[in-house]
Amino acid sequence: MVPAIGCNIVHPLCDKAEMYTRAVYLERLTAYRNYGFQHVEFSHVTAIDEADAVALRDHARRVGIVPWSIHSEHLNAPGPAALADYLRVQTHCARVA
């Protein structure tokens, strides 16, 4: 049996999480499949919503790649406002997943 090969999706021109839009992920899914990857992880999902996630899942299926993981962003600022922001981001990431 051939082992599954996966990779975290990155784009060389995206240096901020908010740059990872539906369009970037659509392009990267096809590119990563062409590179030979079978599974991908989505690491920066703050700029996409649930409708984007459905479109990305459907596109991944069409090109023959499996989304195997998603991880949420983290915030390092202290204080009550930071906790509220952290929980908001975690909720968003969970919905997208």
Side-chain angles (χ1 to χ4, degrees), residues 11 14 40 74 95:
H11 190 289
C14 296
V40 293
H74 56 83
R95 286 190 175 128

Side-chain angles (χ1 to χ4, degrees), residues 6-95:
C7 185
N8 179 27
I9 294 180
V10 294
H11 190 289
L13 301 178
C14 296
D15 61 353
K16 295 178 184 170
E18 53 273 2
M19 297 174 82
Y20 283 87
T21 62
R22 179 196 287 204
V24 167
Y25 276 128
L26 288 171
E27 181 272 326
R28 295 279 73 191
L29 282 168
T30 301
Y32 274 55
R33 184 62 187 132
N34 291 337
Y35 300 151
F37 291 104
Q38 300 162 334
H39 298 78
V40 293
E41 174 184 84
F42 292 87
S43 295
H44 309 291
V45 298
T46 54
I48 64 172
D49 61 22
E50 293 170 63
D52 294 329
V54 170
L56 294 173
R57 179 204 60 207
D58 293 346
H59 183 70
R61 286 178 178 163
R62 278 191 299 277
V63 299
I65 201 164
V66 177
W68 64 273
S69 179
I70 185 173
H71 75 77
S72 62
E73 300 298 320
H74 56 83
L75 306 171
N76 295 320
L83 177 59
D85 284 343
Y86 174 80
L87 294 174
R88 180 186 53 75
V89 169
Q90 298 313 302
T91 299
H92 173 82
C93 292
R95 286 190 175 128

